Amino acid sequence: MLFNSLDFVLLLGTVLALYGFLDRRRQNYLLIVASYVFYGFWNWRFLSLVFAAGLVDYTAGRGIAAAKTPRGRRAWVICSIAFNLGILAYFKYLGFFLESAVELLRFLGVSASAPVLEIVLPVGISFFTFQSMSYIFDVSRRKVPAVMTQGRWVPGARKPTRTALRSATPTSVTAVIGTSTPLLRAQN
């Protein structure tokens, strides 16, 4: 969906018409749904990628907040980084690494060829990947809160995010606007 298409105008009009009538919680639901509709309009198969990235970072944020030691926080950060950079490496750099490995093998005298990869690059993947990682770094440094755990405040957090909904909104929205905005820290 392009910003200058009729589909976008209809989606935007619907969101604007509904947004003012909803309470804060439902506004977040509306933004998530609209973001997924917008992103899925381009290629619906990548919606699971955006959802998985949000879910992994939501879980990692909770794990970081609940960790009692710096080592525990670091383990959650590493898991999140591995997942996010793994996605990025697969979609953006797998072809490059395979071609480089083939060229190295040829240089060493080994006959090799790389398979032709037809990997479609999701729109805004770098942006939403680094935006999610920024959230994890800020949570691990206690600059932003993660979530409440069963109604209790997470130690060290200024004001915790209460639900996965509020955690998911930035991930889904940044996947949509990733091609048109600067990368921000989670605390901003």
Side-chain angles (χ1 to χ4, degrees):
M1 180 181 306
L2 299 174
F3 289 116
N4 61 354
S5 69
L6 179 60
D7 295 322
F8 176 74
V9 171
L10 293 174
L11 178 64
L12 180 63
T14 303
V15 169
L16 291 176
L18 295 174
Y19 191 82
F21 295 107
L22 301 173
D23 62 22
R24 185 104 163 143
R25 181 180 178 89
R26 287 183 177 85
Q27 286 174 343
N28 284 342
Y29 280 123
L30 176 64
L31 290 178
I32 290 171
V33 169
S35 297
Y36 278 102
V37 167
F38 181 88
Y39 197 80
F41 206 86
W42 169 70
N43 192 332
W44 63 269
R45 293 173 296 180
F46 292 121
L47 290 176
S48 60
L49 182 66
V50 176
F51 180 78
L55 183 62
V56 165
D57 289 327
Y58 166 74
T59 304
R62 285 185 61 144
I64 291 166
K68 304 218 183 299
T69 65
R71 186 176 181 173
R73 283 195 304 275
R74 196 173 6 221
W76 281 105
V77 170
I78 289 170
C79 288
S80 173
I81 290 172
F83 178 81
N84 284 305
L85 291 182
I87 288 172
L88 201 58
Y90 174 77
F91 284 102
K92 286 191 85 166
Y93 303 111
L94 182 62
F96 168 75
F97 289 132
L98 284 175
E99 288 176 20
S100 297
V102 166
E103 289 301 317
L104 177 63
L105 289 172
R106 286 182 185 158
F107 178 75
L108 296 173
V110 178
S111 176
S113 65
V116 175
L117 300 175
E118 294 183 16
I119 299 173
V120 176
L121 184 65
V123 174
I125 187 170
S126 295
F127 184 85
F128 76 78
T129 299
F130 289 119
Q131 191 77 25
S132 292
M133 288 172 50
S134 143
Y135 164 74
I136 291 300
F137 294 146
D138 285 348
V139 169
S140 72
R141 292 179 183 134
R142 308 273 193 222
K143 290 183 178 182
V144 297
V147 294
M148 285 181 76
T149 306
Q150 297 180 4
R152 294 185 304 247
W153 288 63
V154 175
R158 286 181 271 163
K159 185 177 179 188
T161 300
R162 290 196 164 93
T163 64
L165 166 67
R166 290 197 56 203
S167 177
T169 305
T171 302
S172 62
V173 171
T174 56
V176 168
I177 62 174
T179 58
S180 61
T181 61
L183 187 62
L184 300 173
R185 298 294 307 243
Q187 64 190 5
N188 297 333

